[in-house]
Amino acid sequence: MTGRVIVITSGKGGVGKTTTSANIGTALAKEGYKVVLIDTDLGLRNLDLLLGLENRIVYTIVDVIEERCKLKQALVKDKKNPNLSLLAAAQTRDKSAVNAEQLKDICDKLKEKNDFVLIDCPAGIEQGFQNAVAGASEAIVVTTPEMSAIRDADRIIGLLEAKEEIKSYKLLLNRVRPSLIKSNDMMSVDDVVEILSCPLIGIIPEDTGIITSTNKGEPIVNDENAMAGKAYRNVAQRILGEEVPFLNLDEPKGFMAKIKDVFAKLKAKV
Amino acid sequence: MGLFSDIYNTVARFFRPQEDQVEGASKAVAANRLKLVLMQDRTNLTPKILEQMRGELIDLLSKYLEMDKELLELNFEQEGEQVALMLSIPVIRAKDEDEIEEALKSAQTAESEDDTDEDKDDEAENDEEQKNNVQEESQESLTDTPSESECETECELKSESTQNSDSEKTAKPKRKTSSKKVTKPEGIEDSEADNTNLVQETEETNVN
C-alpha cells in the first residue's frame, strides 16, 4: 500500500492549518481510511490539543529521529477512531532538531502502512516549512479572505510550484463570512480564487463551533449539525475524488428580505 | 441649510443602503491593492523600477507622439493565464515625419554629448521641441486629420514566453507567475533595440 502524503500549509499563522489538519484527518478516518497526522510545528505543537490527545503523548517525532523509540511506538491512536493516529511534535525542541531528509524518511515509512499521511506545517517559509514539504506530494494551502493571508498564500504557492515533488496543490478558503461578503466588505470566494489562480478544494464558513470544539478537544467534523463540520467533510470527499458541490453559504433569508422578494416579483410582473 | 441637507442625506441613505455599501465597499479596495502588491511580489518589480519604466517609455514614445504625460498609466493586468502590461496614453496628436526625424536626431546628439545627464536633457529638449513644433504647426496649416487629435491608445505588451516551460506542464495547474521575468526586461530591451535601429536608419537617410 502506498498512501498519499498531503501537506497542509499557509504561510501566515492563525488561518487554521492545525484545525484543518485535525478535521480533514478525522473526516478521512471516519470514512474508513487509515490516517496518520504529523505535527511538524516543533516547539509550538497544538494538533494534540485539537484532537484531545495531549495527555497521551509519550514519544515525539524527535524521539523517533534520534532513535529513542520506534516509529510505531510514537504513533498515538485517537480516542474514538482507531484508524486515526498522531505523530506529535516535540515541544521542548526547535525546528533545527529535524531536517528535511529525516522527515521525508518518516513520511515514506508511514505511507507504506497508511492511506493518508497529513502533515501539519508550521507557519512561515523557513526550515520548518521546507521540512514539512519535503515528504509530501500534494499540498493544501489554507487561507482566509484577508489581504495578509492571501499575500502569504501567494508566496507559498510560488514556493510549492518550484518544488518538483509537489504534484498538485489546492486552495482551502477558511473563515468565510457570507454576511460580510454580501455587504461587499469581504473578498468573495471568486475574488480570492481569481487573485491566486489556484484550484479550490473547500470553502469553510466562520463558525463559533470551532472554538467550542477546540475547547473540548474534539474536531468539528464529529458535529453533524455544524456548517464548518459539513464543509470539512465535503473537503474530505473531494480529496477522495468525489465531486461535491460547494456549500451554499447564503444565510437563510429574513422576514424583510422575503417581503422584498415578493414585491420585486410583483414589480417584474407589472 | 446644512442641517436640512444632512437630514436629507441620512434619510436618503436609509432608503438606499445598498448603493452606499457598494460605493464604500472595502472589498474592492482590498482586491485592487492586493492585485498590485502581488504583481510586485511575483515579478520583483519595485515601484521605483516601475517609475523608471514609465519614464523611459515616455521618452521613447514622445519622439513619435505628442501626449498627455500626466495621464499616462502603466499597469499590470491579468488576462486569463497571462499577465499583460497595460499602457494607457492619452494621445494629443501624432507627430509628422519631419518632427520624428528631428526628435530622433536630437536624442542621438544628446546621447553622444554626455551620457550622465542624458535623461534629463532628453526630456527637456523634447519638451522644447514639442512646443516649437506645435507653434509651427499652428502657423503653417492644420494638416492633421481630426481623428488623430484626441484619441486614447492602449498598448498591450503581452508576455510571450509564458509557454516556455513545456516540460513542467505536468499535472500542476499553470500559474500566471510563470511569466515573471518576461514583461519588464524584454519590453524595455525591445523598445531600446527598436529605438537604436530607428536611429541608425534615419542616420542613413540623412547621409543620403
Side-chain angles (χ1 to χ4, degrees):
Chain A
M1 173 157 74
T2 322
R4 290 161 66 182
V5 185
I6 307 173
V7 62
I8 290 137
T9 179
S10 74
K12 189 180 179 297
V15 295
K17 283 181 297 295
T18 307
T19 308
T20 300
S21 306
N23 279 291
I24 294 178
T26 308
L28 287 170
K30 280 177 87 168
E31 292 288 324
Y33 293 90
K34 280 200 82 179
V35 183
V36 177
L37 287 163
I38 307 180
D39 190 347
T40 59
D41 203 347
L42 269 66
L44 296 166
R45 78 173 182 212
N46 279 317
L47 193 51
D48 52 341
L49 272 182
L50 298 206
L51 294 166
L53 298 175
E54 68 274 15
N55 292 326
R56 303 191 182 192
I57 291 161
V58 182
Y59 296 112
T60 67
I61 191 166
V62 175
D63 294 320
V64 177
I65 284 166
E66 293 175 354
E67 294 181 349
R68 276 191 290 273
C69 71
K70 285 178 182 161
L71 181 54
K72 207 178 169 189
Q73 283 178 296
L75 296 177
V76 185
K77 278 219 156 42
D78 186 51
K79 289 178 288 187
K80 281 186 180 170
N81 199 326
N83 283 332
L84 181 69
S85 46
L86 168 72
L87 178 55
Q91 185 68 344
T92 51
R93 305 288 290 271
D94 65 8
K95 268 91 182 168
S96 59
V98 177
N99 68 37
E101 203 135 297
Q102 289 163 336
L103 240 153
K104 189 175 184 301
D105 203 41
I106 288 177
C107 290
D108 287 345
K109 279 180 191 158
L110 285 174
K111 76 180 176 189
E112 282 171 20
K113 289 184 178 166
N114 292 278
D115 299 297
F116 288 96
V117 179
L118 302 183
I119 305 167
D120 181 22
C121 178
I125 52 173
E126 295 85 16
Q127 192 57 44
F129 166 76
Q130 301 294 347
N131 289 348
V133 170
S137 56
E138 294 170 60
I140 292 176
V141 180
V142 183
T143 189
T144 66
E146 290 155 48
M147 294 184 67
S148 48
I150 294 171
R151 187 185 194 178
D152 292 0
D154 186 73
R155 189 91 170 79
I156 287 290
I157 291 171
L159 292 172
L160 291 174
E161 209 173 37
K163 296 217 176 288
E164 270 179 33
E165 318 87 74
I166 302 291
K167 300 284 182 275
S168 83
Y169 50 83
K170 300 257 171 68
L171 191 71
L172 187 136
L173 194 56
N174 201 6
R175 311 191 69 167
V176 173
R177 293 166 72 174
S179 60
L180 277 187
I181 291 177
K182 226 174 195 177
S183 66
N184 276 312
D185 280 325
M186 182 179 258
M187 274 178 275
S188 70
V189 177
D190 291 341
D191 290 334
V192 179
V193 171
E194 190 210 321
I195 288 170
L196 290 175
S197 63
C198 181
L200 201 62
I201 198 161
I203 306 164
I204 316 293
E206 172 94 54
D207 194 333
T208 48
I210 294 280
I211 296 169
T212 50
S213 81
T214 308
N215 290 345
K216 288 186 245 166
E218 189 157 301
I220 202 164
V221 283
N222 288 330
D223 181 349
E224 291 297 325
N225 300 317
M227 277 287 267
K230 199 175 176 195
Y232 274 124
R233 286 196 294 276
N234 285 351
V235 173
Q237 291 298 321
R238 289 186 201 108
I239 290 173
L240 293 170
E242 304 273 325
E243 273 192 33
V244 188
F246 291 106
L247 281 185
N248 181 15
L249 294 180
D250 280 342
E251 282 161 355
K253 278 183 180 175
F255 180 66
M256 285 303 280
K258 277 179 186 163
I259 290 180
K260 258 188 194 170
D261 270 11
V262 170
F263 275 107
K265 273 178 195 164
L266 283 176
K267 213 175 181 183
K269 273 184 189 170
V270 174
Chain B
M1 281 305 284
L3 184 69
F4 280 112
S5 63
D6 277 358
I7 290 171
Y8 172 78
N9 282 335
T10 39
V11 172
R13 202 176 302 142
F14 180 75
F15 283 108
R16 289 181 282 135
Q18 294 265 306
E19 268 176 49
D20 275 0
Q21 277 172 354
V22 171
E23 265 176 42
S26 57
K27 162 207 146 156
V29 180
N32 286 333
R33 284 176 62 206
L34 242 178
K35 276 179 190 167
L36 203 72
V37 82
L38 284 188
M39 208 58 79
Q40 284 171 10
D41 286 357
R42 288 173 186 171
T43 55
N44 291 324
L45 282 177
T46 59
K48 194 186 162 197
I49 292 177
L50 279 175
E51 197 48 45
Q52 195 182 331
M53 256 173 90
R54 208 179 101 103
E56 284 181 34
L57 282 168
I58 289 178
D59 283 353
L60 170 72
L61 293 169
S62 57
K63 288 173 191 163
Y64 306 97
L65 300 168
E66 195 173 302
M67 61 208 177
D68 197 335
K69 287 175 194 173
E70 297 302 311
L71 294 178
L72 187 138
E73 275 178 43
L74 185 65
N75 284 316
F76 286 97
E77 279 178 24
Q78 290 183 351
E79 288 189 354
E81 293 279 300
Q82 286 183 315
V83 177
L85 178 63
M86 305 294 285
L87 183 60
S88 168
I89 322 159
V91 175
I92 296 168
R93 64 176 191 89
K95 292 187 176 182
D96 61 32
E97 273 180 34
D98 294 344
E99 288 173 278
I100 292 170
E101 209 167 281
E102 210 169 305
L104 289 174
K105 216 195 289 175
S106 71
Q108 208 194 359
T109 50
E111 243 172 67
S112 57
E113 270 170 16
D114 58 348
D115 292 345
T116 47
D117 292 332
E118 145 186 30
D119 283 1
K120 287 174 188 173
D121 283 358
D122 253 15
E123 227 167 82
E125 276 182 41
N126 281 343
D127 278 349
E128 278 174 19
E129 256 170 51
Q130 277 182 7
K131 280 172 199 163
N132 292 339
N133 289 336
V134 173
Q135 282 168 3
E136 280 171 26
E137 274 284 316
S138 53
Q139 280 166 10
E140 287 168 17
S141 60
L142 292 166
T143 46
D144 283 341
T145 50
S147 61
E148 277 175 325
S149 57
E150 275 271 332
C151 59
E152 183 133 319
T153 51
E154 282 208 338
C155 306
E156 240 179 78
L157 308 175
K158 277 205 176 176
S159 52
E160 285 160 22
S161 60
T162 38
Q163 316 293 334
N164 265 349
S165 47
D166 283 17
S167 54
E168 284 175 20
K169 265 189 189 172
T170 50
K172 284 191 190 182
K174 266 192 75 174
R175 253 174 123 252
K176 292 148 200 167
T177 31
S178 51
S179 56
K180 263 177 194 170
K181 310 150 204 166
V182 183
T183 32
K184 175 202 56 176
E186 278 195 7
I188 289 179
E189 276 164 25
D190 281 357
S191 62
E192 275 177 0
D194 286 353
N195 188 2
T196 47
N197 285 343
L198 279 167
V199 172
Q200 280 164 7
E201 277 170 29
T202 45
E203 217 176 49
E204 280 167 24
T205 50
N206 284 341
V207 171
N208 290 340

